Amino acid sequence: MSDIVIPAEIKPADGRFGCGPSKVRPEQLQALYDSGSTYLGTSHRQKPVKSLFGRVRAGLSELFQLPDGYEVLISNGGTTAFWDAAAFGLVRQKSQHATFGEFSSKFAKVVAGAPWLDEPTKVSAEPGSHPVPVAEEGVDVYALTHNETSTGVAMPIRRVVEDDSLVMVDATSGAGGLPVDVSETDVYYFAPQKCFAADGGLWVALVSPKALARIDEIASSGRYIPEFFNLTTVVDNSAKDQTYNTPAVSTALLFAEQIEWMNKNGGLAWTTSRTADSASRLYGWAEKSEFATPFVADPAQRSQVVGTIDFAEGIDAAAIAKTLRANGIVDTEPYRKLGRNQLRVGMFPAIDPADVEALTACVDHVVERLNG
């Protein structure tokens, strides 16, 4: 495997195809180098860092065309921290969860372990497809996942029922790369290390007036809420363009640069057309291949930001990924717990569709030599 050399003329210009952390554009890194001293090592309560978080909040409002009354909340930690905060401060008593892979099941596990909440309902589907949430009496939160990172399945986001329940959407790998109407959600939350090409350390939520009222309601109910997970604290600090604890400032700078790049080029319509282009090249190649097929059988459920490709018996996907890595094309390995003979390809907005097409040519080159 280590002896296979992929010709330079067919290799992608950038060989990073990870599904998180994802490719960071050189221009973001240059901005970090050029202006980092303005922000890093200074107080996050003062104007420079606060202005940085202001850029993030204003940029996201523009990107997602937030409806009136929606707020952009930012806090410390990642999506895992947000799940705990939501269990304390957004689920009134009972939630329903659409689970169809490793990540879409994690919030359900958090809620199931919370002794102050009822046992959650799960609406499940096998990996490779997504379930459809259903109206259920007594449910006050419907928990959806926009993109299942482990399997490459994306689901459409729509309100389940028109009542006082909340629709919460884990959009960590989908936000910024998949179409969405935020008005169909009450809490659209994500971390910045996927489509937004930044590092970890922060979570973001786009929150409706109804969700803001729920936060106040639960906070006033007498329920014990640890301060780190107190969403009223997050609301107060976000309005001031700051976080309760010292934030990941370099992450925020990379994040702001990526959001502004997206908006400058045409916003969500542009980013989603770009990821759709990448997806059409990957899946189109697999459908024509003699040895590769898209893992997600239904084209309507295939993600345009995370592509999973199965390989025929006798074609060793692990050997392909290892050879690609030896040639500087990295992070195409499948999700470890899925256990399939496949490659997983990040197709986030920062990734050039031409590089996705070049990747497929490299796979053909490697397979021919591994099995020649």
Side-chain angles (χ1 to χ4, degrees), residues 4 24 28 43 63 89 182 220 248 309 326 353:
I4 297 175
V24 179
Q28 292 169 271
S43 171
L63 182 68
V182 172
S220 302
I309 305 298

Side-chain angles (χ1 to χ4, degrees), residues 159-165 184 210:
R159 286 199 179 276
V160 181
V161 63
E162 293 293 342
D163 59 14
D164 73 340
S165 63
E184 293 287 328
K210 188 162 65 169

Side-chain angles (χ1 to χ4, degrees), residues 140-200:
D140 59 83
V141 163
Y142 291 91
L144 314 180
T145 297
H146 204 178
N147 192 79
E148 177 48 76
T149 318
S150 67
T151 64
V153 174
M155 71 180 295
I157 300 302
R158 292 185 290 268
R159 286 199 179 276
V160 181
V161 63
E162 293 293 342
D163 59 14
D164 73 340
S165 63
L166 303 180
V167 173
M168 293 182 53
V169 180
D170 179 355
T172 291
S173 61
L178 295 180
V180 68
D181 177 356
V182 172
S183 70
E184 293 287 328
T185 77
D186 295 295
V187 185
Y188 189 76
Y189 63 94
F190 49 93
Q193 70 269 27
K194 312 281 188 177
C195 289
F196 294 102
D199 278 335

Side-chain angles (χ1 to χ4, degrees), residues 41-75:
T42 69
S43 171
H44 67 289
R45 305 291 187 193
Q46 298 300 319
K47 186 175 180 179
V49 176
K50 286 163 68 76
S51 70
L52 182 60
F53 280 86
R55 287 170 58 191
V56 170
R57 296 180 70 235
L60 291 173
S61 295
E62 178 183 349
L63 182 68
F64 290 101
Q65 296 294 291
L66 290 191
D68 290 344
Y70 277 66
E71 295 287 344
V72 179
L73 306 185
I74 307 179
S75 192

Side-chain angles (χ1 to χ4, degrees), residues 268-331:
L268 198 61
W270 177 77
T271 63
T272 56
S273 67
R274 186 171 165 91
T275 58
D277 185 4
S278 291
S280 69
R281 300 186 195 212
L282 180 70
Y283 297 130
W285 161 79
E287 288 173 333
K288 295 175 183 176
S289 173
E290 295 181 355
F291 54 81
T293 55
F295 169 53
V296 181
D298 182 354
Q301 298 191 26
R302 291 174 189 162
S303 169
Q304 61 192 56
V305 291
V306 174
T308 45
I309 305 298
D310 277 351
F311 286 82
E313 186 176 354
I315 305 294
D316 188 349
I320 297 170
K322 186 174 182 180
T323 304
L324 291 172
R325 183 173 288 277
N327 282 269
I329 303 168
V330 300
D331 297 342

Side-chain angles (χ1 to χ4, degrees), residues 317-363:
I320 297 170
K322 186 174 182 180
T323 304
L324 291 172
R325 183 173 288 277
N327 282 269
I329 303 168
V330 300
D331 297 342
T332 61
E333 292 82 2
Y335 184 67
R336 61 193 182 280
K337 294 184 181 180
L338 194 57
R340 297 188 67 87
N341 183 40
Q342 69 176 208
L343 298 182
R344 183 175 61 155
V345 180
M347 301 179 290
F348 302 117
I351 295 170
D352 191 324
D355 280 348
V356 174
E357 188 166 354
L359 169 65
T360 65
C362 292
V363 173

